[in-house]
Amino acid sequence: SDAKQIVQQVYRQVLERPADANAAGRAQALAQGRSTVRDIVADVVRSQEHTNRFLQPANTPAQRAEAVNRIYKHLLGRTADASGLQNYTQRAQQAGFAAVIDDIMNSPEYAEWWGQDTVPGTSVRWCGNGTSTQVAQNTPQTGAGQAPMRFRGMDANRDGQISSEEHTSELPSLA
């Protein structure tokens, strides 16, 4: 997907609304390789807007549990399991929601499912802009350092996304 579409998906997933004018700078940073999808997700989920809309009030255990479930939904695309809900509700009371967000974003589950380049809760993945060789750093998929865009040859229109039309055009005919 192109950088604007990726950022649009991040806003829909994390803030549950379309992107606004503030998104342009994030899209530009992604397109220029100065940030990853994970960086943008972290920035948006730590925003004052996200805190105000989804994490407050948090005065009671029930309110904190609801906020933890929202963080799970926004970052992992699912509700919290019983033990995660209990642990992170306690963590939120002791250390605040920023600590919960950091823990989840640094979790093996987040790394395995979303890594540096996939919008949480979706199958939307940033593949680069078609000319950049820079992708995520230190991901489970690429290891330390930078790696070139995978499957670049399948991106026939060079938009950074392999659509089903491009993908199937590469398959040999079985007829």
Side-chain angles (χ1 to χ4, degrees):
S1 249
D2 83 351
K4 290 178 186 174
Q5 290 175 331
I6 293 288
V7 173
Q8 183 71 248
Q9 285 298 122
V10 169
Y11 273 67
R12 285 187 182 128
Q13 175 65 24
V14 177
L15 294 177
E16 300 179 17
R17 68 166 178 82
D20 56 19
N22 293 329
R26 291 181 171 118
Q28 185 177 23
L30 182 63
Q32 293 174 350
R34 293 183 287 118
S35 68
T36 64
V37 173
R38 185 183 185 283
D39 295 335
I40 294 167
V41 169
D43 191 38
V44 173
V45 78
R46 291 181 182 120
S47 70
Q48 191 61 49
E49 178 183 353
H50 186 268
T51 299
N52 292 343
R53 291 183 60 206
F54 301 108
L55 307 182
Q56 293 179 354
N59 301 319
T60 67
Q63 290 170 330
R64 285 188 291 278
E66 179 62 30
V68 166
N69 260 323
R70 287 183 179 142
I71 293 170
Y72 262 76
K73 178 184 172 193
H74 294 156
L75 294 180
L76 297 176
R78 66 177 180 85
T79 58
D81 54 86
S83 66
L85 184 62
Q86 180 180 1
N87 291 337
Y88 283 124
T89 299
Q90 290 174 352
R91 179 110 165 101
Q93 182 176 3
Q94 295 166 352
F97 289 114
V100 173
I101 289 167
D102 289 345
D103 287 355
I104 291 174
M105 289 201 72
N106 292 322
S107 71
E109 180 179 358
Y110 188 97
E112 180 180 339
W113 282 99
W114 318 120
Q116 297 287 327
D117 296 314
T118 304
V119 177
T122 74
S123 60
V124 178
R125 180 177 168 85
W126 172 247
C127 296
N129 63 11
T131 59
S132 173
T133 59
Q134 182 173 4
V135 293
Q137 295 180 348
N138 300 322
T139 67
Q141 296 83 12
T142 62
Q146 300 171 343
M149 179 179 147
R150 294 175 61 198
F151 310 112
R152 181 180 307 250
M154 293 173 66
D155 184 15
N157 65 3
R158 311 290 288 164
D159 67 353
Q161 177 180 359
I162 301 168
S163 68
S164 60
E165 294 80 22
E166 290 172 306
H167 180 277
T168 56
S169 69
E170 298 290 320
L171 296 176
S173 172
L174 299 176

